[in-house]
Amino acid sequence: MKFKRPIMPLYIIASLLFGVKTYIVYRFLFNIELDNSMQELILFVNPFVSAFLIFALSVWFKRKSRQMKFLRYTALIGTVIVFVNVVFYRQFTDFITIPQLFMGSNMSDLGSSILTLIKPYDILLFVDAAVIWYLSRKQEAALSVDYPKSGKVFALAMSLVLLAGNFLLAEMERPQLFTRAFDREYLVKNIGLFNYHAYDLVVHSKTESQRVFADGNEIPEIQEFIDENVKIYDKSDMFGAAEGKNVIFVNAESLQQFVINNKVNGEEVTPFLNSLTKDSDTYYFENFYEQTGQGNTSDSEFLIENSLYPLSRGAVFFTHGSNEYHALPEVIKEKGYTSSVLHSNNKSFWNRDGMYESLEIDHFYGEEAYEVTPENSIGWGLKDKPFFEQSIKYLQSMEEPFYSKLITLTNHFPFEMDEQDTSIEPFESNSNTLNNYFPAVRYMDEALEQFFAQLKESGVYDDSIIVIMGDHIGISANHNKAMSMYLGKEEITPYDQVQLQRVPLFIHIPGDGNGKVMSEVTGQIDMKPTLLNLLGIESEDDVYFGNDLFSEKRKGYIALRNGDFVSDDYISTAGICYDRVTGEPIDAAAGNADAVEEHSPTENACSAIQEKVDKELSFSDNLIYGDLFRFIDFGEEE
Ligand code: GP9
Ligand code: MN
C-alpha cells in the first residue's frame, strides 16, 4: 500500500475539537473572572495547549489501531474529567482535587443534590468525544499516519514549546502562581483544567511524603511563632464564666450573617435569632468569619475542635483523619467533661466516625439514633425540628458536665422545603437557590426557638451555655447577581464577597445579664481558646492559632483559607487592600491588582499582615501534613 498523507491527522482534529469544547466550558459553565485581555488570551490558548499535549502522544504508537484506540479513550476520559468538574463546580464553585476523589462515599450521599446539578444539555459535552470515537473507528485509514522519527520528535517538541509558552504567559500574568497556589481558580484560568490536575497530583504526592519524613524538628519554629504572634492576649473577664457548665454547641448548617436582622418580602427572616441579638444573656458576634475550605461542615468542626486551619485541598477529616490531635474534647476530658456529637446522617459522611476517634469525642449519635420517617425528613434527612426534639432525651441522659455538638441539616443546598414547614415566601430572583434559602433559614430559626423552649422544659438549660454558629456560607458566588439584587447593591465586589463570609455566632449564657453585640473581627479559629477560657481551663502549652474572643488584646486578624484576610483595619482579597470599614480600596492604584506586584503603597498597607497570614496558614498545614502532634508531649495537666 502506498503511503498517503491524511488531510489532517486525527490527533490534530481531536486537539481542536477538545480544545473548543474545553474553552466553551470555561466561558459558560465555570464562572471564571477575566480582568484583562491577557487573561482572556491565556484562557483561550490553554485548552488547545493541553489537548495537544495529550493527543500528540498518539504519534508514538506504532500500530495505527493503537493510535486510534489511544485517541478515542483519551477523548472519553478527558470528557469525563470535564463533566465531573462541571457538576462539582455547580455545587462548590470550585475544582475537584485528588483527595476529594477519594471522598466517593460523600459524592454518592449527595443524592438529591447531585441530580439537581446535572442538566440535560450536559450531554453536549460528550459530542466531540463521540465524533472522535466515530472517526477513529471509521476513518482509521484516512486519519492516521506512520510517523517517521522526525515527525514524532516534532510533535513532542511542539507540545513542549506550546506548554512553555502557556506557562510563560501565566507567570507574566500572575507571578508565583505555583508557589502561592491557594486559589484553584487562578490555576485553572492560567494553566488549564488538565495541567491543574497534573499539578494537583504532584502536590498530593509531595504532601504525602511530608508525613514520612517529618521528625518533630519543625515544632520549635512553630511554637515560637505562636508565642510571639498568637498568644499575646490577656486573660479576659469571662475566664471561668461558664465553669463546670454543659456546653451545647449548635453547628447551624449554611447560616450566613446577612440574614440576621434583615428582611425578605417585608418579613423578618430570623425573628428568634434577631431577638437573641438583643438578649441580655447573649453575646452576638457580628463580624465573625467562617474559615472553611473544601471540607465544608467538617472543616468548620475541625476549626472549632482544634483551632487549626483546615487544608487548602480536600477535607482534612478525610485526608488526615487518623493523625494525632490535641482537640478540645480531649483537653476538657481531663476536667471531667464528656463529649458527644449529635447529627442525623451517615456516620461515615466526611469520615466523621474515623475523625471523631482521633479527636477523642466520646459518643456519636448518628442517623440510627433517630427515628427517621419519610414524613419527618426532607433533602438530606431528618428535619431540624424533629432532630432537636429527639435529641433532648440524649442530652438529658448524658453524664454532666458535657460538651455536645448538634449539627443541623435542613438548611442545606438545594434548600428543599415541605409546604407545611414554610412560613415565609421565597425571594424572587433568577437564583432559585437564593430564593429558597430564606424559607429554609426561617425554618431553622423556628427549630432553634423550639429547641430553647425544650431545653428549658427538660431542665438541661440552667446548667448549660448554648453556642450557635453558622458553619459556612450557603450561597456561593455563583448567585452573585441575585445576591446583589437582594442586598440592593450594583454588584458584589471582591470586598463584598469576603464580607459575605461572615456567619453569625451567638454565645448564650443563662443568667449572665451582660450580653451585647460584639463587633470585633473574629472567626472560627477562635472557638477552642474561647470555650476553654469560658470553662476556666488554662491552655498555655497548647498549640493553636486562635484567640479568646472576649480578650481585648488579640492578634487582630482573621486568615481565610484561600490566603485572604480580614484585620481590624483592612480586608485583603483578589490582590487588593481594602479599608475594612468603608470598603474603599486603600489608594487609587489599589483598584489594579497588578499594582501589588509592583510594590505600590497598597502593598505596604496589607503586606505586613499578609506575611503573617501566609506563615500561619503554612505552619498549620505543616502540623497536619507532618502529623506533628505525635511528637508533642502535652504532659499530664492537673
Ligand atoms: C452532612 C452535613 C452537610 O453530614 O454536615 O454537609 P456539608 O455539605 O455542609 O459539608
Ligand atoms: Mn454544612
Side-chain angles (χ1 to χ4, degrees), residues 492-511:
I492 301 293
T493 63
Y495 167 86
D496 296 324
Q497 205 73 63
V498 169
Q499 289 298 56
L500 282 168
Q501 236 176 288
R502 283 179 293 186
V503 293
L505 169 72
F506 299 88
I507 299 182
H508 179 80
I509 307 178

mmCIF file with all atom_site columns, all heavy atoms in Angstrom, residues 492-511:
data_model
loop_
_atom_site.group_PDB
_atom_site.id
_atom_site.type_symbol
_atom_site.label_atom_id
_atom_site.label_alt_id
_atom_site.label_comp_id
_atom_site.label_asym_id
_atom_site.label_entity_id
_atom_site.label_seq_id
_atom_site.pdbx_PDB_ins_code
_atom_site.Cartn_x
_atom_site.Cartn_y
_atom_site.Cartn_z
_atom_site.occupancy
_atom_site.B_iso_or_equiv
_atom_site.pdbx_formal_charge
_atom_site.auth_seq_id
_atom_site.auth_comp_id
_atom_site.auth_asym_id
_atom_site.auth_atom_id
_atom_site.pdbx_PDB_model_num
ATOM 1   N N   . ILE A 1 492 ? -21.555 42.603 43.377 1.00 0.00 ? 492 ILE A N   1
ATOM 2   C CA  . ILE A 1 492 ? -20.834 42.074 44.534 1.00 0.00 ? 492 ILE A CA  1
ATOM 3   C C   . ILE A 1 492 ? -19.347 42.194 44.221 1.00 0.00 ? 492 ILE A C   1
ATOM 4   O O   . ILE A 1 492 ? -18.831 41.513 43.342 1.00 0.00 ? 492 ILE A O   1
ATOM 5   C CB  . ILE A 1 492 ? -21.213 40.591 44.780 1.00 0.00 ? 492 ILE A CB  1
ATOM 6   C CG1 . ILE A 1 492 ? -22.718 40.447 45.010 1.00 0.00 ? 492 ILE A CG1 1
ATOM 7   C CG2 . ILE A 1 492 ? -20.422 40.009 45.937 1.00 0.00 ? 492 ILE A CG2 1
ATOM 8   C CD1 . ILE A 1 492 ? -23.246 41.078 46.275 1.00 0.00 ? 492 ILE A CD1 1
ATOM 9   N N   . THR A 1 493 ? -18.666 43.087 44.933 1.00 0.00 ? 493 THR A N   1
ATOM 10  C CA  . THR A 1 493 ? -17.225 43.282 44.692 1.00 0.00 ? 493 THR A CA  1
ATOM 11  C C   . THR A 1 493 ? -16.453 42.215 45.477 1.00 0.00 ? 493 THR A C   1
ATOM 12  O O   . THR A 1 493 ? -17.014 41.541 46.340 1.00 0.00 ? 493 THR A O   1
ATOM 13  C CB  . THR A 1 493 ? -16.790 44.665 45.198 1.00 0.00 ? 493 THR A CB  1
ATOM 14  O OG1 . THR A 1 493 ? -17.004 44.681 46.625 1.00 0.00 ? 493 THR A OG1 1
ATOM 15  C CG2 . THR A 1 493 ? -17.603 45.775 44.559 1.00 0.00 ? 493 THR A CG2 1
ATOM 16  N N   . PRO A 1 494 ? -15.144 42.068 45.195 1.00 0.00 ? 494 PRO A N   1
ATOM 17  C CA  . PRO A 1 494 ? -14.353 41.131 45.996 1.00 0.00 ? 494 PRO A CA  1
ATOM 18  C C   . PRO A 1 494 ? -14.458 41.449 47.491 1.00 0.00 ? 494 PRO A C   1
ATOM 19  O O   . PRO A 1 494 ? -14.488 40.547 48.334 1.00 0.00 ? 494 PRO A O   1
ATOM 20  C CB  . PRO A 1 494 ? -12.928 41.342 45.481 1.00 0.00 ? 494 PRO A CB  1
ATOM 21  C CG  . PRO A 1 494 ? -13.112 41.826 44.074 1.00 0.00 ? 494 PRO A CG  1
ATOM 22  C CD  . PRO A 1 494 ? -14.365 42.638 44.086 1.00 0.00 ? 494 PRO A CD  1
ATOM 23  N N   . TYR A 1 495 ? -14.528 42.744 47.818 1.00 0.00 ? 495 TYR A N   1
ATOM 24  C CA  . TYR A 1 495 ? -14.692 43.132 49.228 1.00 0.00 ? 495 TYR A CA  1
ATOM 25  C C   . TYR A 1 495 ? -15.999 42.563 49.795 1.00 0.00 ? 495 TYR A C   1
ATOM 26  O O   . TYR A 1 495 ? -16.032 41.958 50.867 1.00 0.00 ? 495 TYR A O   1
ATOM 27  C CB  . TYR A 1 495 ? -14.684 44.666 49.329 1.00 0.00 ? 495 TYR A CB  1
ATOM 28  C CG  . TYR A 1 495 ? -15.150 45.203 50.670 1.00 0.00 ? 495 TYR A CG  1
ATOM 29  C CD1 . TYR A 1 495 ? -14.266 45.344 51.730 1.00 0.00 ? 495 TYR A CD1 1
ATOM 30  C CD2 . TYR A 1 495 ? -16.496 45.574 50.863 1.00 0.00 ? 495 TYR A CD2 1
ATOM 31  C CE1 . TYR A 1 495 ? -14.691 45.823 52.960 1.00 0.00 ? 495 TYR A CE1 1
ATOM 32  C CE2 . TYR A 1 495 ? -16.927 46.061 52.086 1.00 0.00 ? 495 TYR A CE2 1
ATOM 33  C CZ  . TYR A 1 495 ? -16.026 46.181 53.136 1.00 0.00 ? 495 TYR A CZ  1
ATOM 34  O OH  . TYR A 1 495 ? -16.457 46.652 54.345 1.00 0.00 ? 495 TYR A OH  1
ATOM 35  N N   . ASP A 1 496 ? -17.094 42.741 49.030 1.00 0.00 ? 496 ASP A N   1
ATOM 36  C CA  . ASP A 1 496 ? -18.395 42.213 49.488 1.00 0.00 ? 496 ASP A CA  1
ATOM 37  C C   . ASP A 1 496 ? -18.323 40.701 49.665 1.00 0.00 ? 496 ASP A C   1
ATOM 38  O O   . ASP A 1 496 ? -18.919 40.139 50.578 1.00 0.00 ? 496 ASP A O   1
ATOM 39  C CB  . ASP A 1 496 ? -19.495 42.523 48.472 1.00 0.00 ? 496 ASP A CB  1
ATOM 40  C CG  . ASP A 1 496 ? -19.724 44.017 48.314 1.00 0.00 ? 496 ASP A CG  1
ATOM 41  O OD1 . ASP A 1 496 ? -19.621 44.737 49.325 1.00 0.00 ? 496 ASP A OD1 1
ATOM 42  O OD2 . ASP A 1 496 ? -20.001 44.458 47.177 1.00 0.00 ? 496 ASP A OD2 1
ATOM 43  N N   . GLN A 1 497 ? -17.596 40.061 48.741 1.00 0.00 ? 497 GLN A N   1
ATOM 44  C CA  . GLN A 1 497 ? -17.503 38.607 48.789 1.00 0.00 ? 497 GLN A CA  1
ATOM 45  C C   . GLN A 1 497 ? -16.913 38.140 50.114 1.00 0.00 ? 497 GLN A C   1
ATOM 46  O O   . GLN A 1 497 ? -17.389 37.186 50.719 1.00 0.00 ? 497 GLN A O   1
ATOM 47  C CB  . GLN A 1 497 ? -16.611 38.130 47.633 1.00 0.00 ? 497 GLN A CB  1
ATOM 48  C CG  . GLN A 1 497 ? -16.882 36.707 47.199 1.00 0.00 ? 497 GLN A CG  1
ATOM 49  C CD  . GLN A 1 497 ? -18.188 36.590 46.451 1.00 0.00 ? 497 GLN A CD  1
ATOM 50  O OE1 . GLN A 1 497 ? -18.351 37.159 45.396 1.00 0.00 ? 497 GLN A OE1 1
ATOM 51  N NE2 . GLN A 1 497 ? -19.133 35.881 47.026 1.00 0.00 ? 497 GLN A NE2 1
ATOM 52  N N   . VAL A 1 498 ? -15.882 38.842 50.545 1.00 0.00 ? 498 VAL A N   1
ATOM 53  C CA  . VAL A 1 498 ? -15.282 38.482 51.832 1.00 0.00 ? 498 VAL A CA  1
ATOM 54  C C   . VAL A 1 498 ? -16.282 38.757 52.960 1.00 0.00 ? 498 VAL A C   1
ATOM 55  O O   . VAL A 1 498 ? -16.466 37.934 53.858 1.00 0.00 ? 498 VAL A O   1
ATOM 56  C CB  . VAL A 1 498 ? -13.969 39.269 52.064 1.00 0.00 ? 498 VAL A CB  1
ATOM 57  C CG1 . VAL A 1 498 ? -13.483 39.113 53.492 1.00 0.00 ? 498 VAL A CG1 1
ATOM 58  C CG2 . VAL A 1 498 ? -12.902 38.788 51.086 1.00 0.00 ? 498 VAL A CG2 1
ATOM 59  N N   . GLN A 1 499 ? -16.958 39.898 52.879 1.00 0.00 ? 499 GLN A N   1
ATOM 60  C CA  . GLN A 1 499 ? -17.923 40.210 53.944 1.00 0.00 ? 499 GLN A CA  1
ATOM 61  C C   . GLN A 1 499 ? -19.059 39.187 54.008 1.00 0.00 ? 499 GLN A C   1
ATOM 62  O O   . GLN A 1 499 ? -19.632 38.950 55.059 1.00 0.00 ? 499 GLN A O   1
ATOM 63  C CB  . GLN A 1 499 ? -18.480 41.634 53.758 1.00 0.00 ? 499 GLN A CB  1
ATOM 64  C CG  . GLN A 1 499 ? -17.478 42.734 54.047 1.00 0.00 ? 499 GLN A CG  1
ATOM 65  C CD  . GLN A 1 499 ? -16.976 42.727 55.487 1.00 0.00 ? 499 GLN A CD  1
ATOM 66  O OE1 . GLN A 1 499 ? -16.450 41.730 55.974 1.00 0.00 ? 499 GLN A OE1 1
ATOM 67  N NE2 . GLN A 1 499 ? -17.149 43.833 56.189 1.00 0.00 ? 499 GLN A NE2 1
ATOM 68  N N   . LEU A 1 500 ? -19.344 38.580 52.855 1.00 0.00 ? 500 LEU A N   1
ATOM 69  C CA  . LEU A 1 500 ? -20.391 37.549 52.842 1.00 0.00 ? 500 LEU A CA  1
ATOM 70  C C   . LEU A 1 500 ? -19.907 36.264 53.505 1.00 0.00 ? 500 LEU A C   1
ATOM 71  O O   . LEU A 1 500 ? -20.681 35.345 53.721 1.00 0.00 ? 500 LEU A O   1
ATOM 72  C CB  . LEU A 1 500 ? -20.849 37.269 51.407 1.00 0.00 ? 500 LEU A CB  1
ATOM 73  C CG  . LEU A 1 500 ? -21.807 38.310 50.837 1.00 0.00 ? 500 LEU A CG  1
ATOM 74  C CD1 . LEU A 1 500 ? -21.981 38.124 49.335 1.00 0.00 ? 500 LEU A CD1 1
ATOM 75  C CD2 . LEU A 1 500 ? -23.166 38.235 51.535 1.00 0.00 ? 500 LEU A CD2 1
ATOM 76  N N   . GLN A 1 501 ? -18.631 36.206 53.823 1.00 0.00 ? 501 GLN A N   1
ATOM 77  C CA  . GLN A 1 501 ? -18.132 35.023 54.522 1.00 0.00 ? 501 GLN A CA  1
ATOM 78  C C   . GLN A 1 501 ? -18.351 35.131 56.033 1.00 0.00 ? 501 GLN A C   1
ATOM 79  O O   . GLN A 1 501 ? -17.879 34.306 56.803 1.00 0.00 ? 501 GLN A O   1
ATOM 80  C CB  . GLN A 1 501 ? -16.649 34.818 54.202 1.00 0.00 ? 501 GLN A CB  1
ATOM 81  C CG  . GLN A 1 501 ? -16.410 33.437 53.620 1.00 0.00 ? 501 GLN A CG  1
ATOM 82  C CD  . GLN A 1 501 ? -14.988 33.221 53.188 1.00 0.00 ? 501 GLN A CD  1
ATOM 83  O OE1 . GLN A 1 501 ? -14.526 33.769 52.200 1.00 0.00 ? 501 GLN A OE1 1
ATOM 84  N NE2 . GLN A 1 501 ? -14.268 32.397 53.930 1.00 0.00 ? 501 GLN A NE2 1
ATOM 85  N N   . ARG A 1 502 ? -19.096 36.164 56.446 1.00 0.00 ? 502 ARG A N   1
ATOM 86  C CA  . ARG A 1 502 ? -19.441 36.238 57.867 1.00 0.00 ? 502 ARG A CA  1
ATOM 87  C C   . ARG A 1 502 ? -20.579 35.276 58.174 1.00 0.00 ? 502 ARG A C   1
ATOM 88  O O   . ARG A 1 502 ? -21.538 35.164 57.415 1.00 0.00 ? 502 ARG A O   1
ATOM 89  C CB  . ARG A 1 502 ? -19.857 37.660 58.235 1.00 0.00 ? 502 ARG A CB  1
ATOM 90  C CG  . ARG A 1 502 ? -18.660 38.578 58.369 1.00 0.00 ? 502 ARG A CG  1
ATOM 91  C CD  . ARG A 1 502 ? -19.071 39.974 58.705 1.00 0.00 ? 502 ARG A CD  1
ATOM 92  N NE  . ARG A 1 502 ? -19.799 40.577 57.583 1.00 0.00 ? 502 ARG A NE  1
ATOM 93  C CZ  . ARG A 1 502 ? -20.184 41.835 57.568 1.00 0.00 ? 502 ARG A CZ  1
ATOM 94  N NH1 . ARG A 1 502 ? -19.950 42.620 58.599 1.00 0.00 ? 502 ARG A NH1 1
ATOM 95  N NH2 . ARG A 1 502 ? -20.832 42.314 56.528 1.00 0.00 ? 502 ARG A NH2 1
ATOM 96  N N   . VAL A 1 503 ? -20.440 34.579 59.281 1.00 0.00 ? 503 VAL A N   1
ATOM 97  C CA  . VAL A 1 503 ? -21.526 33.724 59.765 1.00 0.00 ? 503 VAL A CA  1
ATOM 98  C C   . VAL A 1 503 ? -21.830 34.167 61.188 1.00 0.00 ? 503 VAL A C   1
ATOM 99  O O   . VAL A 1 503 ? -20.947 34.677 61.875 1.00 0.00 ? 503 VAL A O   1
ATOM 100 C CB  . VAL A 1 503 ? -21.123 32.226 59.736 1.00 0.00 ? 503 VAL A CB  1
ATOM 101 C CG1 . VAL A 1 503 ? -20.957 31.732 58.308 1.00 0.00 ? 503 VAL A CG1 1
ATOM 102 C CG2 . VAL A 1 503 ? -19.871 31.951 60.545 1.00 0.00 ? 503 VAL A CG2 1
ATOM 103 N N   . PRO A 1 504 ? -23.083 34.035 61.619 1.00 0.00 ? 504 PRO A N   1
ATOM 104 C CA  . PRO A 1 504 ? -23.374 34.519 62.964 1.00 0.00 ? 504 PRO A CA  1
ATOM 105 C C   . PRO A 1 504 ? -22.831 33.593 64.051 1.00 0.00 ? 504 PRO A C   1
ATOM 106 O O   . PRO A 1 504 ? -22.758 32.384 63.860 1.00 0.00 ? 504 PRO A O   1
ATOM 107 C CB  . PRO A 1 504 ? -24.909 34.530 63.006 1.00 0.00 ? 504 PRO A CB  1
ATOM 108 C CG  . PRO A 1 504 ? -25.359 33.652 61.907 1.00 0.00 ? 504 PRO A CG  1
ATOM 109 C CD  . PRO A 1 504 ? -24.255 33.561 60.896 1.00 0.00 ? 504 PRO A CD  1
ATOM 110 N N   . LEU A 1 505 ? -22.427 34.202 65.149 1.00 0.00 ? 505 LEU A N   1
ATOM 111 C CA  . LEU A 1 505 ? -22.061 33.425 66.336 1.00 0.00 ? 505 LEU A CA  1
ATOM 112 C C   . LEU A 1 505 ? -22.793 34.008 67.538 1.00 0.00 ? 505 LEU A C   1
ATOM 113 O O   . LEU A 1 505 ? -22.740 35.217 67.776 1.00 0.00 ? 505 LEU A O   1
ATOM 114 C CB  . LEU A 1 505 ? -20.549 33.491 66.590 1.00 0.00 ? 505 LEU A CB  1
ATOM 115 C CG  . LEU A 1 505 ? -20.133 32.915 67.956 1.00 0.00 ? 505 LEU A CG  1
ATOM 116 C CD1 . LEU A 1 505 ? -20.258 31.396 67.985 1.00 0.00 ? 505 LEU A CD1 1
ATOM 117 C CD2 . LEU A 1 505 ? -18.719 33.337 68.325 1.00 0.00 ? 505 LEU A CD2 1
ATOM 118 N N   . PHE A 1 506 ? -23.497 33.142 68.248 1.00 0.00 ? 506 PHE A N   1
ATOM 119 C CA  . PHE A 1 506 ? -24.184 33.545 69.481 1.00 0.00 ? 506 PHE A CA  1
ATOM 120 C C   . PHE A 1 506 ? -23.613 32.728 70.635 1.00 0.00 ? 506 PHE A C   1
ATOM 121 O O   . PHE A 1 506 ? -23.503 31.505 70.514 1.00 0.00 ? 506 PHE A O   1
ATOM 122 C CB  . PHE A 1 506 ? -25.677 33.224 69.396 1.00 0.00 ? 506 PHE A CB  1
ATOM 123 C CG  . PHE A 1 506 ? -26.400 33.925 68.278 1.00 0.00 ? 506 PHE A CG  1
ATOM 124 C CD1 . PHE A 1 506 ? -26.468 33.353 67.017 1.00 0.00 ? 506 PHE A CD1 1
ATOM 125 C CD2 . PHE A 1 506 ? -27.022 35.147 68.487 1.00 0.00 ? 506 PHE A CD2 1
ATOM 126 C CE1 . PHE A 1 506 ? -27.140 33.982 65.977 1.00 0.00 ? 506 PHE A CE1 1
ATOM 127 C CE2 . PHE A 1 506 ? -27.707 35.788 67.453 1.00 0.00 ? 506 PHE A CE2 1
ATOM 128 C CZ  . PHE A 1 506 ? -27.763 35.210 66.196 1.00 0.00 ? 506 PHE A CZ  1
ATOM 129 N N   . ILE A 1 507 ? -23.249 33.408 71.713 1.00 0.00 ? 507 ILE A N   1
ATOM 130 C CA  . ILE A 1 507 ? -22.879 32.667 72.931 1.00 0.00 ? 507 ILE A CA  1
ATOM 131 C C   . ILE A 1 507 ? -23.878 33.076 74.000 1.00 0.00 ? 507 ILE A C   1
ATOM 132 O O   . ILE A 1 507 ? -23.916 34.236 74.426 1.00 0.00 ? 507 ILE A O   1
ATOM 133 C CB  . ILE A 1 507 ? -21.434 32.972 73.365 1.00 0.00 ? 507 ILE A CB  1
ATOM 134 C CG1 . ILE A 1 507 ? -20.475 32.549 72.238 1.00 0.00 ? 507 ILE A CG1 1
ATOM 135 C CG2 . ILE A 1 507 ? -21.096 32.234 74.667 1.00 0.00 ? 507 ILE A CG2 1
ATOM 136 C CD1 . ILE A 1 507 ? -18.997 32.743 72.558 1.00 0.00 ? 507 ILE A CD1 1
ATOM 137 N N   . HIS A 1 508 ? -24.711 32.119 74.371 1.00 0.00 ? 508 HIS A N   1
ATOM 138 C CA  . HIS A 1 508 ? -25.829 32.398 75.279 1.00 0.00 ? 508 HIS A CA  1
ATOM 139 C C   . HIS A 1 508 ? -25.502 31.795 76.645 1.00 0.00 ? 508 HIS A C   1
ATOM 140 O O   . HIS A 1 508 ? -25.333 30.581 76.772 1.00 0.00 ? 508 HIS A O   1
ATOM 141 C CB  . HIS A 1 508 ? -27.095 31.777 74.685 1.00 0.00 ? 508 HIS A CB  1
ATOM 142 C CG  . HIS A 1 508 ? -28.316 31.968 75.529 1.00 0.00 ? 508 HIS A CG  1
ATOM 143 N ND1 . HIS A 1 508 ? -29.047 33.127 75.540 1.00 0.00 ? 508 HIS A ND1 1
ATOM 144 C CD2 . HIS A 1 508 ? -28.932 31.126 76.405 1.00 0.00 ? 508 HIS A CD2 1
ATOM 145 C CE1 . HIS A 1 508 ? -30.071 33.012 76.379 1.00 0.00 ? 508 HIS A CE1 1
ATOM 146 N NE2 . HIS A 1 508 ? -30.019 31.804 76.918 1.00 0.00 ? 508 HIS A NE2 1
ATOM 147 N N   . ILE A 1 509 ? -25.395 32.667 77.643 1.00 0.00 ? 509 ILE A N   1
ATOM 148 C CA  . ILE A 1 509 ? -25.051 32.194 78.990 1.00 0.00 ? 509 ILE A CA  1
ATOM 149 C C   . ILE A 1 509 ? -26.200 32.537 79.933 1.00 0.00 ? 509 ILE A C   1
ATOM 150 O O   . ILE A 1 509 ? -26.331 33.694 80.360 1.00 0.00 ? 509 ILE A O   1
ATOM 151 C CB  . ILE A 1 509 ? -23.736 32.873 79.482 1.00 0.00 ? 509 ILE A CB  1
ATOM 152 C CG1 . ILE A 1 509 ? -22.630 32.682 78.426 1.00 0.00 ? 509 ILE A CG1 1
ATOM 153 C CG2 . ILE A 1 509 ? -23.315 32.319 80.844 1.00 0.00 ? 509 ILE A CG2 1
ATOM 154 C CD1 . ILE A 1 509 ? -21.315 33.337 78.771 1.00 0.00 ? 509 ILE A CD1 1
ATOM 155 N N   . PRO A 1 510 ? -27.058 31.554 80.236 1.00 0.00 ? 510 PRO A N   1
ATOM 156 C CA  . PRO A 1 510 ? -28.229 31.852 81.066 1.00 0.00 ? 510 PRO A CA  1
ATOM 157 C C   . PRO A 1 510 ? -27.826 32.557 82.364 1.00 0.00 ? 510 PRO A C   1
ATOM 158 O O   . PRO A 1 510 ? -26.876 32.127 83.037 1.00 0.00 ? 510 PRO A O   1
ATOM 159 C CB  . PRO A 1 510 ? -28.816 30.461 81.351 1.00 0.00 ? 510 PRO A CB  1
ATOM 160 C CG  . PRO A 1 510 ? -28.399 29.628 80.181 1.00 0.00 ? 510 PRO A CG  1
ATOM 161 C CD  . PRO A 1 510 ? -27.031 30.132 79.819 1.00 0.00 ? 510 PRO A CD  1
ATOM 162 N N   . GLY A 1 511 ? -28.495 33.656 82.647 1.00 0.00 ? 511 GLY A N   1
ATOM 163 C CA  . GLY A 1 511 ? -28.252 34.389 83.888 1.00 0.00 ? 511 GLY A CA  1
ATOM 164 C C   . GLY A 1 511 ? -27.097 35.379 83.814 1.00 0.00 ? 511 GLY A C   1
ATOM 165 O O   . GLY A 1 511 ? -26.801 36.070 84.783 1.00 0.00 ? 511 GLY A O   1
#
